[in-house]
C-alpha cells in the first residue's frame, strides 16, 4: 500500500517540486483538496487526518497556523522557516550530524532546512565538529542562487522582463536562514551573510572565505579537503572534491538533482582558502531534501 501525503501549499514552487518527485517515485498517493477548500481550516485538518504525513509548503505564519489545527498524532514536515530552531522539532539535514537521520526517522515534527543554510552548514559543521574551527570565529558567507528561490514575484519579474543580471539583497544583514546556520553549524555568533541572485532559474553556490590562521588547529587546505571527505564518507547525496580545486564553478551544474558538492580552493602561499558548496536550490536546497526526509519519516529508503 502506498503512503498517503498531504501537501498543504502544493501550488508553490517547493510544493510542486515535492509533488512531482513523489508522483515519479510511484510509492505515494497524494491527498488533495479542491481549489475552493485550499484555505478551509476544517478541510485541511481532515486531509491531515487522512494522510500518513503532512508537508507544509506555506509562509511562516500560515505554517504555524497549520500546526495548530493538525489532528493529534499527525506527523508533519515543515518546509517553511517557522520551526527550524523551534523546541520539539528535529532539523531535517540528515548528513549534518551523526545520528541525525535516525532522529528524523523517529520524529513527529521535522523542519526542512533552508537552501542557503544547507550549503553553509554543510561547509561549517564538519569544521566545528572536528575542532578545526572555533565556534566564536568571525566568519562571512557569500552565496548566489537562481531566481526560483525568490518566490513568485521574483520569478515573474525575471521571466517577464529579464530581470537584473546580478543582484545583492538582504543587505540589512538579517537573513531568515541565519538562526539555523548558527545553531546547526555549531557557531556562537552569526556570520556576515551576503546572498545574491543571478539571472538563471536555479542552482546555487555558497562560499566561506578563510585565512588558514583562523583555524583552531594548524592545517593546510588539502587537510581541510580530506577532513570533509572523511566526515561525509558514505553520504549518498554529498560528495567532496579531494584536493584543491582550481577550475571555474557553474552554480547550475547540479540542477534537477538532489546532490551537494563540496570544494576547497586555495592560495597556499598566502594562507587563504575558499570553501564552496554547490547544490540545486530546488533540489537538495528544498524539494529534494523534503522527499529525503519524507522517506526517512516513513521508513522508506532515503
Amino acid at each position: 500500500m502506498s503512503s498517503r501525503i498531504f501537501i498543504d501549499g502544493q501550488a508553490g514552487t517547493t510544493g510542486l517540486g515535492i509533488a512531482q518527485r513523489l508522483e515519479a517515485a510511484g510509492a505515494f498517493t497524494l491527498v488533495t483538496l479542491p481549489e475552493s477548500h485550499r484555505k478551509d481550516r476544517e478541510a485541511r485538518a481532515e486531509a491531515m487526518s487522512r494522510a500518513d504525513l503532512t508537508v507544509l509548503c506555506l509562509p511562516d505564519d500560515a505554517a504555524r497556523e497549520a500546526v495548530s489545527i493538525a489532528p493529534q498524532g499527525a506527523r508533519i514536515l515543515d518546509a517553511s522557516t517557522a520551526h527550524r530552531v523551534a523546541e520539539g522539532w528535529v532539523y531535517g539535514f540528515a548528513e549534518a550530524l551523526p545520528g541525525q537521520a535516525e532522529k528524523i526517522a523517529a520524529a513527529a515534527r521535522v523542519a526542512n532546512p533552508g537552501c542557503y543554510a544547507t550549503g553553509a552548514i554543510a561547509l561549517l559543521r564538519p569544521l566545528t565538529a572536528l575542532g578545526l574551527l572555533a565556534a566564536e570565529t568571525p566568519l562571512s558567507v557569500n552565496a548566489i542562487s537562481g531566481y526560483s528561490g525568490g518566490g513568485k514575484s521574483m520569478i515573474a519579474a525575471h521571466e517577464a522582463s529579464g530581470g537584473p543580471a546580478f543582484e545583492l539583497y538582504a543587505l540589512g544583514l538579517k537573513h531568515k536562514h541565519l538562526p539555523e546556520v548558527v545553531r546547526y553549524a555549531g557557531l556562537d555568533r552569526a556570520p556576515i551573510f551576503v546572498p545574491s541572485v543571478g539571472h538563471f532559474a536555479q542552482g546555487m553556490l555558497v562560499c566561506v572565505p578563510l585565512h588558514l590562521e583562523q583555524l583552531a588547529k594548524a592545517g593546510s587546505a588539502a587537510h581541510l579537503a580530506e577532513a570533509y571527505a572523511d566526515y561525509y564518507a558514505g553520504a549518498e547525496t554529498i560528495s567532496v572534491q579531494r584536493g584543491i580545486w582550481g577550475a571555474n564553478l557553474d552554480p547550475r551544474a547540479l540542477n534537477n538533482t538532489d546532490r551537494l558538492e563540496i570544494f576547497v580552493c586555495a592560495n597556499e602561499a598566502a594562507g587563504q582558502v575558499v570553501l564552496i558548496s554547490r547544490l540545486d536550490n530546488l533540489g537538495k536546497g528544498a524539494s529534494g531534501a523534503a522527499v529525503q526526509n519524507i522517506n526517512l519519516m516513513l521508513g522508506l529508503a532515503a
Side-chain angles (χ1 to χ4, degrees), residues 158-203:
H158 274 265
E159 294 185 347
S161 62
F166 176 87
E167 186 176 29
L168 293 174
Y169 68 102
L171 294 176
L173 306 183
K174 296 179 181 180
H175 194 277
K176 64 181 182 178
H177 289 182
L178 279 170
E180 63 189 286
V181 171
V182 171
R183 175 172 295 187
Y184 298 108
L187 304 177
D188 286 346
R189 62 194 298 180
I192 297 173
F193 177 43
V194 185
S196 60
V197 63
H199 183 53
F200 52 93
Q202 62 195 86

Side-chain angles (χ1 to χ4, degrees), residues 131-132 212-220 223-224:
L132 296 172
L212 288 173
E213 64 189 34
Q214 291 178 272
L215 297 177
K217 296 179 181 178
S220 66
H223 175 231
L224 293 178

Side-chain angles (χ1 to χ4, degrees), residues 28-222:
F28 302 92
T29 299
L30 295 180
V31 177
T32 59
L33 293 174
E35 181 65 24
S36 59
H37 288 75
R38 186 170 60 87
K39 296 185 178 181
D40 184 281
R41 288 168 59 96
E42 291 185 4
R44 291 161 61 212
E46 192 276 332
M48 291 184 197
S49 70
R50 290 190 284 123
D52 298 304
L53 179 66
T54 293
V55 183
L56 306 180
C57 298
L58 301 165
D60 287 3
D61 287 343
R64 295 185 186 97
E65 187 259 354
V67 172
S68 74
I69 66 172
Q72 186 174 2
R75 302 187 77 195
I76 297 176
L77 172 66
D78 184 10
S80 80
T81 315
H83 298 104
R84 289 176 184 161
V85 294
E87 192 69 28
W89 288 74
V90 172
Y91 194 61
F93 191 168
E95 300 86 359
L97 301 165
Q100 196 69 8
E102 290 76 13
K103 291 180 180 179
I104 294 167
R109 301 283 189 270
V110 175
N112 213 53
C115 53
Y116 286 123
T118 296
I121 293 165
L123 294 172
L124 293 171
R125 183 67 195 200
L127 303 187
T128 57
L130 296 171
L132 296 172
L133 189 70
E136 66 274 13
T137 305
L139 299 169
S140 62
V141 179
N142 306 298
I144 185 166
S145 173
Y147 60 77
S148 57
K152 291 182 178 179
S153 60
M154 181 177 286
I155 293 171
H158 274 265
E159 294 185 347
S161 62
F166 176 87
E167 186 176 29
L168 293 174
Y169 68 102
L171 294 176
L173 306 183
K174 296 179 181 180
H175 194 277
K176 64 181 182 178
H177 289 182
L178 279 170
E180 63 189 286
V181 171
V182 171
R183 175 172 295 187
Y184 298 108
L187 304 177
D188 286 346
R189 62 194 298 180
I192 297 173
F193 177 43
V194 185
S196 60
V197 63
H199 183 53
F200 52 93
Q202 62 195 86
M204 175 172 284
L205 294 172
V206 180
C207 309
V208 177
L210 282 175
H211 294 278
L212 288 173
E213 64 189 34
Q214 291 178 272
L215 297 177
K217 296 179 181 178
S220 66

Side-chain angles (χ1 to χ4, degrees), residues 10-31:
Q10 184 175 331
T13 302
T14 299
L16 288 171
I18 294 169
Q20 290 168 357
R21 283 169 165 80
L22 295 179
E23 289 169 350
F28 302 92
T29 299
L30 295 180
V31 177

